[in-house]
Amino acid sequence: MLNIDNELRTSEKANFGLPEKIKSLPTNPGVYIYKNDKGKIIYIGKAINLRNRVRSYFQSGKNFDAKTKSLVNQISDLEFIVTNTEAEALILEDTLIKEHKPRYNILLRDDKTYPYIRITNEEFPRIFPTRKIVRDGSKYFGPYTDVKNMKRILRVVQSIFRIRTCKLKLTEDSIQRGKFKLCLDYQIKKCDGPCEAKIVLDEYLSNVYNAIQVINGKTIEVEKNLLRKMETLAEELKFEQAAYFRNQYLLLRDYSANQRIVTLEKIDRDVFAIAKEGDFICSLVLKIREGKLIGKRHFFLENDSNIPENKILQLTLERWYLESEFIPDEIFLPFEPVDKEFIEMYLKEKKGRNVSIQIPKVGDKKKIVQLAFENAQAQLKEYLLATSKKDSELPKKILQMQKDLGLPKPPRKIECFDNSHIQGSELVSSLVVFKDAKPLKSEYRKFKIKTVGKNDDFAAMKESVQRRYKRLLEEGKELPDLVIIDGGKGQLNIALEVFRELKIENKVPLISIAKRLEEIFSPFRDEPLMLARSSVTLQLVQQIRDETHRFAIAYHRKLRKKRTIDSKLLQIKGVGPKTMQKLLIAFGSITEIRRKKVEEISGIVGKSKAQLIVAALKGIEKRD
């Protein structure tokens, strides 16, 4: 263990520079990036004070969950980016996580893609629904989990404020030059005709502003303004214009009256809650504007029941206020999040003044938090019901496999292992994953065997199985419904030994398939299972086994090809390890070097060496 001021600790893998980097971190807000010993980004976080936040990961005696413990043991290096404010840190963190998708970052997800309402960044803005966000200065409201409610809002806004729906590029100059003509929308009173200056720009923008207020649930001020305009015009005997504003007022009042009132206080609040059931978690926010419930938003986490609820609440707050344009005056929480100070500072910066964050204990405010919790529970039950329906609609071959193999539940997620080597060299293992009888290639894994120096299939199988499921357990991730080993009884027993060491032998069913007679072995059967050649279960097992074998062979060929190329290049006179390193630094990989011309390579190693390298690589390519 490395110690820093007797307070910090890091893994034995940490490079020499990590403690010094931690000591020299600035106290500014910013983003920190953790990397493993291979230089791969494994976690991205943000902080008000970079030094304090990073040091907290390495304090002795700190009580971490299993996932964080695993993360700390993997940290070998760190980078950081200083930002001017907490808001910049949160936005940068979100951008980097979306780009790099680090293994240890927790990702909240929706059960579908929800639409937004878009206000375009034009001289005469348009308002319409969209599922695509374009960063051109447009404003977005949502996302809306209740699509019917969103459409209702748009209908109300359109009928009251008559915002244009055409795609004409309207400007005051183009309108003055008479480039456009009125369409049917003007005739049927769905548009006020800005294209022929039937409404001036200031009035049109006032309508857009009022529409935004209504979308945000802020109707009281708009109702007062419409009523005031109606009364003023009536006093001036402009009855036709007064009637226009009267109709707007009555439509808006009717819309507002139909919204659910949850509090008599005319205040804007967001109310958060978290519900859990087994390995499933739902976090939810209720949007209350001027005392009325105008909408809600929820997020899901699966198979992460070990993550503390205050951390999930923190992530929900951050995700919601990154997406939301509107910041309310008050926020109600069921308990305190991990970093309340960061949220308070971020919201203050975004809103321009303090936002009251409360944890109600009694009374009407507590009832509102309870309402949010009941909504979260209902949303989670609906999600679990939908999931169970999906189970009933599983492919028949999955249900048949459950029956034939005597499995406790349908094997929706199946993992399979295979080894590959040539005369004991470049010993590798592969893992493929099938979900609902289809390959899930994003979860395929390759293992370069580290502890076996000779042709030992049993030892190689033991290492790959152990590495796979030890990591899944450390990270608190989902275990498969079935594991298949390519091999006979011997390989099966090796895998079973690992399962017993990890205490998962009763949690994950395990079988193997022997190639000679296509026998299926199980730890709990004395005799192998012999299925008919026409059996859909046997055919699926064979398909998965063959895909695992193909993947192992492909990985093995890649390693062998790389070794051949390296060997061929190093045989060229004047091309040694240093030259190879220069080329790899310049071009990134052997594949990229093979694509380069003599002129490009000569800038790194000189023309004569470049010619020899290109010729050698072409010779290898022809043989391939």
Side-chain angles (χ1 to χ4, degrees):
M1 291 284 182
L2 295 170
N3 291 303
I4 304 171
D5 299 336
N6 298 318
E7 292 180 349
L8 305 184
R9 63 179 175 79
T10 186
S11 71
E12 294 175 358
K13 295 181 181 179
N15 65 30
F16 183 75
L18 182 58
E20 286 71 24
K21 285 186 178 182
I22 296 172
K23 281 184 180 180
S24 62
L25 281 169
T27 56
N28 308 65
V31 170
Y32 55 95
I33 301 167
Y34 290 146
K35 296 182 177 182
N36 62 14
D37 55 3
K38 296 178 182 176
K40 185 176 181 180
I41 294 173
I42 56 174
Y43 186 80
I44 297 170
K46 46 87 186 60
I48 296 174
N49 183 316
L50 279 168
R51 186 188 301 168
N52 290 348
R53 183 72 183 106
V54 172
R55 284 169 67 96
S56 71
Y57 280 88
F58 303 96
Q59 290 174 355
S60 57
K62 191 88 171 180
N63 187 23
F64 291 127
D65 57 78
K67 192 167 187 175
T68 307
K69 285 178 183 176
S70 176
L71 164 65
V72 172
N73 287 331
Q74 295 290 323
I75 299 169
S76 286
D77 195 11
L78 77 90
E79 293 179 2
F80 64 91
I81 303 170
V82 172
T83 59
N84 291 319
T85 65
E86 294 76 26
E88 287 180 10
L90 184 57
I91 293 167
L92 178 59
E93 179 202 37
D94 182 63
T95 302
L96 292 174
I97 288 172
K98 286 176 180 174
E99 180 182 349
H100 296 285
K101 297 180 174 60
R103 175 187 292 273
Y104 288 94
N105 280 96
I106 302 165
L107 301 176
L108 297 172
R109 65 176 187 80
D110 303 313
D111 55 349
K112 61 181 79 173
T113 302
Y114 295 109
Y116 292 79
I117 292 176
R118 179 182 176 187
I119 317 289
T120 59
N121 181 28
E122 297 175 278
E123 199 167 325
F124 289 82
R126 292 174 292 138
I127 301 178
F128 55 86
T130 183
R131 292 180 188 268
K132 184 179 180 181
I133 293 180
V134 181
R135 302 295 182 186
D136 63 350
S138 296
K139 290 184 178 180
Y140 293 87
F141 300 88
Y144 288 87
T145 55
D146 186 344
V147 178
K148 287 183 180 178
N149 185 50
M150 180 200 71
K151 290 179 178 178
R152 178 169 170 257
I153 292 169
L154 285 171
R155 282 197 303 270
V156 168
V157 163
Q158 191 59 44
S159 61
I160 295 174
F161 303 110
R162 301 182 185 180
I163 307 300
R164 73 185 181 102
T165 58
C166 64
K167 296 182 180 180
L168 300 176
K169 294 183 179 178
L170 297 187
T171 65
E172 286 192 287
D173 180 61
S174 63
I175 292 167
Q176 286 175 4
R177 286 190 280 118
K179 288 189 68 175
F180 309 110
K181 295 295 180 185
L182 292 169
C183 66
L184 181 62
D185 278 359
Y186 177 78
Q187 308 299 335
I188 61 175
K189 300 189 184 303
K190 287 183 66 179
C191 175
D192 282 335
C195 56
E196 283 196 17
K198 298 297 183 182
I199 181 173
V200 298
L201 179 59
D202 286 347
E203 287 182 21
Y204 185 88
L205 293 179
S206 176
N207 282 344
V208 172
Y209 170 80
N210 286 334
I212 291 171
Q213 293 293 90
V214 173
I215 291 168
N216 275 327
K218 308 281 287 177
T219 59
I220 292 175
E221 180 190 345
V222 180
E223 285 178 25
K224 287 179 179 177
N225 289 338
L226 293 174
L227 194 59
R228 194 180 302 117
K229 285 181 180 179
M230 179 193 75
E231 290 170 347
T232 300
L233 289 165
E235 287 173 4
E236 295 173 358
L237 305 180
K238 298 177 180 178
F239 298 116
E240 189 175 341
Q241 291 170 278
Y244 170 77
F245 287 105
R246 179 203 61 200
N247 293 339
Q248 284 187 317
Y249 168 74
L250 291 174
L251 282 167
L252 183 56
R253 192 179 65 172
D254 182 58
Y255 166 74
S256 180
N258 287 322
Q259 290 181 311
R260 181 182 175 185
I261 297 173
V262 293
T263 174
L264 295 176
E265 298 173 281
K266 305 298 183 183
I267 196 165
D268 303 326
R269 290 189 180 118
D270 283 347
V271 186
F272 290 80
I274 289 176
K276 294 178 71 174
E277 189 165 330
D279 288 342
F280 297 87
I281 302 163
C282 174
S283 58
L284 175 139
V285 54
L286 294 183
K287 298 191 291 181
I288 298 172
R289 303 293 179 260
E290 296 176 347
K292 293 168 289 192
L293 179 60
I294 69 163
K296 62 184 178 180
R297 177 80 192 280
H298 59 268
F299 306 95
F300 291 115
L301 270 175
E302 286 184 29
N303 304 299
D304 277 314
S305 57
N306 294 323
I307 300 170
E309 289 189 16
N310 60 350
K311 191 169 186 178
I312 296 168
L313 181 59
Q314 179 81 24
L315 292 169
T316 304
L317 287 161
E318 292 172 3
R319 172 81 176 269
W320 174 244
Y321 291 115
L322 271 170
E323 292 180 353
S324 180
E325 291 282 339
F326 182 81
I327 309 296
D329 300 317
E330 291 184 353
I331 295 171
F332 286 0
L333 305 178
F335 42 79
E336 195 160 302
V338 171
D339 197 348
K340 183 182 175 186
E341 182 187 2
F342 186 94
I343 293 295
E344 287 173 333
M345 295 183 74
Y346 171 71
L347 293 177
K348 180 181 179 181
E349 184 180 337
K350 190 168 181 178
K351 189 174 178 68
R353 63 175 188 271
N354 286 329
V355 176
S356 174
I357 298 180
Q358 303 175 33
I359 305 172
K361 302 296 182 184
V362 293
D364 291 338
K365 292 182 177 180
K366 177 64 176 175
K367 288 178 182 176
I368 296 173
V369 175
Q370 180 63 25
L371 176 65
F373 174 68
E374 290 168 3
N375 272 270
Q377 278 188 317
Q379 203 72 54
L380 184 55
K381 285 179 181 177
E382 185 180 317
Y383 175 74
L384 293 174
L385 181 62
T387 304
S388 66
K389 283 182 180 177
K390 287 179 184 176
D391 286 345
S392 67
E393 297 167 2
L394 285 172
K396 288 182 180 178
K397 61 179 72 175
I398 290 293
L399 299 173
Q400 187 62 43
M401 177 180 273
Q402 180 189 10
K403 182 180 177 181
D404 288 344
L405 300 180
L407 302 175
K409 62 179 181 179
R412 296 193 61 188
K413 189 173 185 182
I414 302 172
E415 299 189 352
C416 183
F417 291 84
D418 186 24
N419 295 332
S420 177
H421 64 86
I422 292 182
Q423 297 176 345
S425 67
E426 302 288 12
L427 190 55
V428 300
S429 287
S430 68
L431 164 77
V432 304
V433 181
F434 272 54
K435 185 72 179 283
D436 294 340
K438 294 180 181 179
L440 188 61
K441 294 194 175 183
S442 61
E443 292 198 23
Y444 283 20
R445 296 292 182 268
K446 298 172 282 194
F447 302 92
K448 193 171 184 180
I449 301 303
K450 300 174 182 177
T451 60
V452 183
K454 56 182 180 179
N455 181 7
D456 188 338
D457 268 347
F458 291 158
M461 184 63 71
K462 181 175 182 178
E463 180 184 327
S464 57
V465 172
Q466 191 170 49
R467 282 166 61 183
R468 171 63 174 175
Y469 298 114
K470 186 178 179 183
R471 168 165 279 184
L472 289 186
L473 290 169
E474 285 175 347
E475 296 176 4
K477 290 189 175 179
E478 175 189 22
L479 292 169
D481 301 317
L482 176 67
V483 173
I484 301 173
I485 304 297
D486 184 13
K489 194 76 174 176
Q491 283 90 343
L492 179 71
N493 288 334
I494 288 294
L496 181 61
E497 182 185 323
V498 174
F499 275 32
R500 284 174 176 156
E501 288 174 7
L502 299 175
K503 298 180 180 178
I504 60 171
E505 73 272 21
N506 296 320
K507 295 181 181 179
V508 183
L510 179 67
I511 63 170
S512 70
I513 178 168
K515 288 174 185 160
R516 190 170 65 87
L517 298 174
E518 302 292 51
E519 302 165 306
I520 294 177
F521 292 93
S522 167
F524 308 109
R525 284 197 184 101
D526 293 330
E527 297 297 324
L529 180 65
M530 300 290 291
L531 295 172
R533 294 277 177 184
S534 59
S535 164
V536 293
T537 296
L538 178 61
Q539 289 171 1
L540 181 55
V541 171
Q542 289 172 326
Q543 180 190 353
I544 296 170
R545 186 268 316 276
D546 293 345
E547 172 66 359
T548 313
H549 186 64
R550 179 203 65 76
F551 190 55
I553 292 292
Y555 180 42
H556 188 273
R557 283 176 179 161
K558 183 179 177 181
L559 291 176
R560 198 175 67 220
K561 186 175 179 181
K562 182 179 181 300
R563 186 181 63 180
T564 302
I565 292 170
D566 290 349
S567 174
K568 187 73 177 176
L569 290 176
L570 291 172
Q571 288 174 14
I572 299 171
K573 189 175 180 180
V575 177
K578 287 186 178 180
T579 302
M580 284 282 291
Q581 187 178 12
K582 283 183 183 178
L583 290 168
L584 289 171
I585 290 171
F587 301 116
S589 67
I590 291 290
T591 303
E592 285 300 314
I593 296 171
R594 293 175 82 168
R595 292 174 181 164
K596 302 302 175 185
K597 296 179 180 178
V598 172
E599 295 76 17
E600 294 172 283
I601 297 175
S602 62
I604 309 297
V605 298
K607 190 171 183 179
S608 57
K609 283 185 186 178
Q611 289 173 333
L612 292 170
I613 289 167
V614 170
L617 290 173
K618 278 186 178 177
I620 296 168
E621 192 172 4
K622 284 178 183 177
R623 289 199 305 276
D624 293 342

